[in-house]
Amino acid sequence: MQEYFAKASEKDITRSIVEEFTTEFLSYVESDVIIVGGGPSGLTAARDLASNGIRTVVLESNNYFGGGFWLGGYLMNKATVRAPGQKFFDELGVPYKEYSEGLYVASAPSACSKLISAACDAGAFMLNMNKFDDVVTRNGRVAGVVTNWTPVSALPRAITCVDPVALETKCVIDATGHDAVVANTLRSRNMLELEGFGPMDVPTSEDLVVEKTSEVFPGLVLTGMAVATAYGLPRMGPTFGSMLESGRRAAKIAEEIVKG
Ligand code: 48F
């Protein structure tokens, strides 16, 4: 047999995976910003923050990043944005067409993969298969997240006493979509009120999601559909401009928090 590949063997491959992962993980046990949820809003925030030199973690419970951005709606993979949302397609180099005046449509896999790639290239630490479990609070502020490997939550009850670990940070962004998982850990303790999202109204929802993107609790910023859940805004239709714009706004707010 002609040897086509280099001689690295199983032990070298194992060492490279474990050492590279743990080295990176250890350097992000303390970070500037942790974004929980790697959908369109979270990834946009990650890209903006990391490109400005802010040490950023994206914590995602799925194996894949992208959230609802892989599909445009109704299981059909065309992503729409209303103007001026096409500027994000321009920035990412996503081909698109103007479907009607001010309404733009692109391949969702193209847009989603380019956004994931942009967040990685900007230098965010991408931590997938990690399920957010709880917040860390200190002196009345959100100061970190408690996380565990996602498969732990699927273990039988008899062996679920697998303790998680915690990561410390200056700011957490809840980008977990409609479920607003991070904000809900505060709501369940009566530390925060969440109104729950209302019926669909795309034009109203898009504007308000961006406008209401904010720090809802010291150290906790909401972005994307989590904003609608918190403020009782109409649910979003299958369009993404406000998810991307809200992510950008969340990044600005988080950067101000980090810089004090
Ligand atoms: O739902 P998702 O795409 O959130 P988004 O950025 O965008 C919403 C749109 O996709 C769409 C819409 C507007 O067009 O209505 O729904 O607000 O992404 C949320 C991400 O959070 C992850 C989840 O897997 C997904 O990738 N997530 C949810 N719970 C957890 C989590 C958790 N406990 N820990 C970590 N990640």
Side-chain angles (χ1 to χ4, degrees):
M1 183 186 74
Q2 197 186 343
E3 289 194 14
Y4 183 72
F5 292 103
K7 288 201 181 303
S9 74
E10 287 81 354
K11 66 178 181 330
D12 306 308
I13 295 167
T14 304
R15 277 187 191 126
S16 70
I17 293 170
V18 176
E19 193 173 333
E20 289 303 304
F21 180 82
T22 48
T23 302
E24 194 173 20
F25 185 85
L26 282 173
S27 84
Y28 280 94
V29 163
E30 195 178 2
S31 63
D32 291 326
V33 179
I34 297 176
I35 299 166
V36 183
S41 63
L43 289 170
T44 303
R47 175 187 181 224
D48 283 9
L49 285 163
S51 4
N52 283 350
I54 308 290
R55 300 188 76 255
T56 304
V57 180
V58 184
L59 193 84
E60 169 55 55
S61 56
N62 262 321
N63 186 18
Y64 61 89
F65 295 91
F69 206 24
W70 288 106
L71 294 165
Y74 201 53
L75 291 183
M76 296 189 178
N77 65 1
K78 296 293 178 194
T80 63
V81 294
R82 299 182 307 143
Q86 80 278 14
K87 72 181 175 203
F88 291 98
F89 289 163
D90 288 328
E91 283 176 25
L92 296 166
V94 177
Y96 61 89
K97 79 173 195 188
E98 187 168 23
Y99 179 80
S100 59
E101 197 185 334
L103 177 63
Y104 298 87
V105 62
S107 148
S110 166
C112 190
S113 58
K114 284 188 165 140
L115 182 56
I116 297 167
S117 175
C120 295
D121 291 350
F125 175 41
M126 309 294 280
L127 187 56
N128 49 347
M129 290 304 281
N130 262 255
K131 194 167 182 180
F132 166 87
D133 188 53
D134 208 344
V135 284
V136 176
T137 56
R138 191 117 59 230
N139 304 323
R141 291 186 64 79
V142 170
V145 301
V146 179
T147 184
N148 216 331
W149 295 111
T150 300
V152 169
S153 59
L155 289 173
R157 277 187 80 80
I159 47 171
T160 46
C161 49
V162 179
D163 267 332
V165 293
L167 308 176
E168 293 186 33
T169 195
K170 295 173 185 148
C171 174
V172 173
I173 298 180
D174 186 345
T176 58
H178 286 299
D179 293 342
V181 174
V182 184
N184 260 304
T185 61
L186 297 175
R187 185 205 52 80
S188 66
R189 295 167 174 123
N190 299 319
M191 296 163 79
L192 183 68
E193 279 185 22
L194 300 181
E195 293 183 34
F197 59 87
M200 192 185 289
D201 177 354
V202 173
T204 309
S205 184
E206 281 229 289
D207 288 345
L208 286 177
V209 161
V210 177
E211 190 182 308
K212 298 274 190 186
T213 298
S214 54
E215 186 181 19
V216 284
F217 187 90
L220 176 63
V221 175
L222 297 190
T223 186
M225 288 318 295
V227 178
T229 298
Y231 289 102
L233 309 183
R235 63 180 293 167
M236 179 74 58
T239 194
F240 288 91
S242 60
M243 298 297 101
L244 306 171
E245 198 67 56
S246 167
R248 177 147 291 172
R249 189 164 176 149
K252 284 204 183 89
I253 298 166
E255 188 165 346
E256 279 165 22
I257 293 169
V258 169
K259 292 187 170 162

